[in-house]
Amino acid sequence: MNILEMHDIHKSYNDLEVLKGIDLTVAKGEVVAVIGPSGGGKSTLLRCATILERIDSGKIVIGGDVLCDTKDEKIHYCDKKMMGEIKSKFGLVFQNFNLFPHFSVRRNITEALIHVHKKTKLEADIICDELLLKMDLVEKADAYPCNLSGGQQQRVSIARALATSPDILFFDEPTSALDPELTKGVLTVIKDLALEEMTMVIVTHEMSFARDVADRIVFMDGGVIVEEGPAYELVTNPKQERTKAFLAGY
């Protein structure tokens, strides 16, 4: 079963076409790493999949529900009720954490559970405690983001994204704001999620991580998918000259 289907995705900003007919599917339990140079369209693709940006044309299906489709040369998005259901099917981890600075770690994780997903405080706290244990953050439950390291803040972000039991997790450069030592801890958490067969799409510049953890790598440049294939094979034996040139820098 495919958790994510994106067909012929086009997206422009004024006269600049950023996505030029992208096709991407992600199966249940699959980990897909999206790599490529800055400005190649990776983050825009992720933002379109997570409804932070609206596409100009194409079709997006998440968890079997149609988010949007093109009919009569116009893009049509689903209604508000379906939009809410689709949003509950994915989690998103940003590169700059996006935690609420005035909320404790616990409240950052439980706020949406209580006010959006209508969990009781007890239910939300139980979910939160399980995730804090998983992320090795039990002692930080009452701390505020300003008192955490970057790596700890990113682990809180991952816990928050996992709290709603999403079908798929999206990561947008999850380690780009971290130094190498803190990066290692966050990548270990993502590796563990991969072992648990969590469906994930990860935009990353960490080539060794993409090679070792992803099932498949998608290389994007100039708003198109230049090459995709099994992760280890693509990194060690790319077929396209553009992919070879990009990977030569790592």
PDB file of all heavy atoms in Angstrom, residues 27 65 78 84 101 106 115 138 143 198 200 221 230 235 243:
ATOM      1  N   ALA A  27       5.802   3.767  -0.241  1.00  0.00           N
ATOM      2  CA  ALA A  27       5.028   2.629   0.269  1.00  0.00           C
ATOM      3  C   ALA A  27       5.054   2.596   1.792  1.00  0.00           C
ATOM      4  O   ALA A  27       5.950   3.158   2.433  1.00  0.00           O
ATOM      5  CB  ALA A  27       5.595   1.332  -0.301  1.00  0.00           C
ATOM      6  N   ASP A  65      -6.394   8.973   0.904  1.00  0.00           N
ATOM      7  CA  ASP A  65      -7.325  10.096   0.742  1.00  0.00           C
ATOM      8  C   ASP A  65      -6.749  11.127  -0.229  1.00  0.00           C
ATOM      9  O   ASP A  65      -5.567  11.484  -0.143  1.00  0.00           O
ATOM     10  CB  ASP A  65      -7.608  10.780   2.084  1.00  0.00           C
ATOM     11  CG  ASP A  65      -8.408   9.889   3.020  1.00  0.00           C
ATOM     12  OD1 ASP A  65      -9.241   9.105   2.525  1.00  0.00           O
ATOM     13  OD2 ASP A  65      -8.182   9.965   4.246  1.00  0.00           O
ATOM     14  N   CYS A  78      -9.341  19.269  -1.340  1.00  0.00           N
ATOM     15  CA  CYS A  78     -10.465  18.666  -0.622  1.00  0.00           C
ATOM     16  C   CYS A  78     -11.080  19.672   0.357  1.00  0.00           C
ATOM     17  O   CYS A  78     -10.502  20.728   0.628  1.00  0.00           O
ATOM     18  CB  CYS A  78      -9.996  17.416   0.122  1.00  0.00           C
ATOM     19  SG  CYS A  78      -8.719  17.746   1.359  1.00  0.00           S
ATOM     20  N   GLY A  84      -8.578  18.151   7.467  1.00  0.00           N
ATOM     21  CA  GLY A  84      -8.223  17.858   8.854  1.00  0.00           C
ATOM     22  C   GLY A  84      -7.844  16.394   9.039  1.00  0.00           C
ATOM     23  O   GLY A  84      -6.886  16.075   9.760  1.00  0.00           O
ATOM     24  N   PRO A 101       8.281  28.490  22.282  1.00  0.00           N
ATOM     25  CA  PRO A 101       9.280  28.814  23.304  1.00  0.00           C
ATOM     26  C   PRO A 101       8.702  29.016  24.697  1.00  0.00           C
ATOM     27  O   PRO A 101       9.394  28.827  25.696  1.00  0.00           O
ATOM     28  CB  PRO A 101       9.905  30.116  22.771  1.00  0.00           C
ATOM     29  CG  PRO A 101       8.886  30.697  21.855  1.00  0.00           C
ATOM     30  CD  PRO A 101       8.176  29.524  21.247  1.00  0.00           C
ATOM     31  N   ARG A 106       6.795  19.142  27.870  1.00  0.00           N
ATOM     32  CA  ARG A 106       5.549  18.370  27.967  1.00  0.00           C
ATOM     33  C   ARG A 106       4.409  19.057  27.227  1.00  0.00           C
ATOM     34  O   ARG A 106       3.671  18.418  26.472  1.00  0.00           O
ATOM     35  CB  ARG A 106       5.158  18.154  29.432  1.00  0.00           C
ATOM     36  CG  ARG A 106       3.839  17.381  29.607  1.00  0.00           C
ATOM     37  CD  ARG A 106       3.545  17.090  31.061  1.00  0.00           C
ATOM     38  NE  ARG A 106       4.566  16.224  31.651  1.00  0.00           N
ATOM     39  CZ  ARG A 106       4.605  14.903  31.485  1.00  0.00           C
ATOM     40  NH1 ARG A 106       3.692  14.292  30.759  1.00  0.00           N
ATOM     41  NH2 ARG A 106       5.552  14.196  32.066  1.00  0.00           N
ATOM     42  N   HIS A 115      -5.959  19.729  22.369  1.00  0.00           N
ATOM     43  CA  HIS A 115      -6.822  20.754  21.775  1.00  0.00           C
ATOM     44  C   HIS A 115      -7.236  20.459  20.334  1.00  0.00           C
ATOM     45  O   HIS A 115      -8.244  20.990  19.866  1.00  0.00           O
ATOM     46  CB  HIS A 115      -6.142  22.116  21.862  1.00  0.00           C
ATOM     47  CG  HIS A 115      -5.947  22.585  23.277  1.00  0.00           C
ATOM     48  ND1 HIS A 115      -6.993  22.995  24.071  1.00  0.00           N
ATOM     49  CD2 HIS A 115      -4.831  22.651  24.051  1.00  0.00           C
ATOM     50  CE1 HIS A 115      -6.540  23.329  25.264  1.00  0.00           C
ATOM     51  NE2 HIS A 115      -5.227  23.124  25.281  1.00  0.00           N
ATOM     52  N   VAL A 138      13.287  12.133  29.519  1.00  0.00           N
ATOM     53  CA  VAL A 138      12.369  12.073  30.668  1.00  0.00           C
ATOM     54  C   VAL A 138      12.631  13.216  31.648  1.00  0.00           C
ATOM     55  O   VAL A 138      11.702  13.861  32.148  1.00  0.00           O
ATOM     56  CB  VAL A 138      12.491  10.707  31.387  1.00  0.00           C
ATOM     57  CG1 VAL A 138      11.709  10.724  32.692  1.00  0.00           C
ATOM     58  CG2 VAL A 138      11.990   9.589  30.483  1.00  0.00           C
ATOM     59  N   ALA A 143      11.252  21.279  31.312  1.00  0.00           N
ATOM     60  CA  ALA A 143      12.173  22.302  30.813  1.00  0.00           C
ATOM     61  C   ALA A 143      11.551  23.049  29.646  1.00  0.00           C
ATOM     62  O   ALA A 143      10.579  22.598  29.029  1.00  0.00           O
ATOM     63  CB  ALA A 143      13.486  21.645  30.384  1.00  0.00           C
ATOM     64  N   MET A 198       8.757   2.702  10.457  1.00  0.00           N
ATOM     65  CA  MET A 198       8.022   3.948  10.316  1.00  0.00           C
ATOM     66  C   MET A 198       8.207   4.461   8.896  1.00  0.00           C
ATOM     67  O   MET A 198       9.330   4.507   8.384  1.00  0.00           O
ATOM     68  CB  MET A 198       8.570   4.994  11.307  1.00  0.00           C
ATOM     69  CG  MET A 198       7.849   6.327  11.271  1.00  0.00           C
ATOM     70  SD  MET A 198       6.239   6.221  12.074  1.00  0.00           S
ATOM     71  CE  MET A 198       5.333   7.482  11.185  1.00  0.00           C
ATOM     72  N   MET A 200       8.819   7.091   6.234  1.00  0.00           N
ATOM     73  CA  MET A 200       9.449   8.400   6.350  1.00  0.00           C
ATOM     74  C   MET A 200       9.940   8.919   5.006  1.00  0.00           C
ATOM     75  O   MET A 200      10.382   8.148   4.153  1.00  0.00           O
ATOM     76  CB  MET A 200      10.635   8.332   7.321  1.00  0.00           C
ATOM     77  CG  MET A 200      10.235   8.055   8.755  1.00  0.00           C
ATOM     78  SD  MET A 200      11.652   8.097   9.903  1.00  0.00           S
ATOM     79  CE  MET A 200      12.380   6.483   9.631  1.00  0.00           C
ATOM     80  N   ASP A 221      17.192  17.772  -8.903  1.00  0.00           N
ATOM     81  CA  ASP A 221      17.930  18.964  -9.328  1.00  0.00           C
ATOM     82  C   ASP A 221      17.096  19.678 -10.383  1.00  0.00           C
ATOM     83  O   ASP A 221      16.472  19.035 -11.231  1.00  0.00           O
ATOM     84  CB  ASP A 221      19.303  18.588  -9.894  1.00  0.00           C
ATOM     85  CG  ASP A 221      20.169  19.816 -10.160  1.00  0.00           C
ATOM     86  OD1 ASP A 221      19.918  20.866  -9.538  1.00  0.00           O
ATOM     87  OD2 ASP A 221      21.103  19.723 -10.986  1.00  0.00           O
ATOM     88  N   PRO A 230      17.586   2.108  -5.265  1.00  0.00           N
ATOM     89  CA  PRO A 230      17.973   1.600  -3.948  1.00  0.00           C
ATOM     90  C   PRO A 230      19.111   2.446  -3.374  1.00  0.00           C
ATOM     91  O   PRO A 230      20.044   2.827  -4.086  1.00  0.00           O
ATOM     92  CB  PRO A 230      18.430   0.174  -4.249  1.00  0.00           C
ATOM     93  CG  PRO A 230      17.677  -0.204  -5.494  1.00  0.00           C
ATOM     94  CD  PRO A 230      17.587   1.057  -6.299  1.00  0.00           C
ATOM     95  N   VAL A 235      24.085   5.642  -4.196  1.00  0.00           N
ATOM     96  CA  VAL A 235      25.227   6.390  -3.655  1.00  0.00           C
ATOM     97  C   VAL A 235      26.551   5.830  -4.172  1.00  0.00           C
ATOM     98  O   VAL A 235      27.481   6.574  -4.479  1.00  0.00           O
ATOM     99  CB  VAL A 235      25.202   6.377  -2.111  1.00  0.00           C
ATOM    100  CG1 VAL A 235      26.506   6.940  -1.535  1.00  0.00           C
ATOM    101  CG2 VAL A 235      24.017   7.195  -1.596  1.00  0.00           C
ATOM    102  N   THR A 243      24.133  13.140 -11.166  1.00  0.00           N
ATOM    103  CA  THR A 243      24.186  12.516  -9.842  1.00  0.00           C
ATOM    104  C   THR A 243      25.629  12.257  -9.442  1.00  0.00           C
ATOM    105  O   THR A 243      26.035  12.508  -8.298  1.00  0.00           O
ATOM    106  CB  THR A 243      23.407  11.181  -9.837  1.00  0.00           C
ATOM    107  OG1 THR A 243      22.165  11.348 -10.517  1.00  0.00           O
ATOM    108  CG2 THR A 243      23.141  10.719  -8.418  1.00  0.00           C
TER     109      THR A 243
END
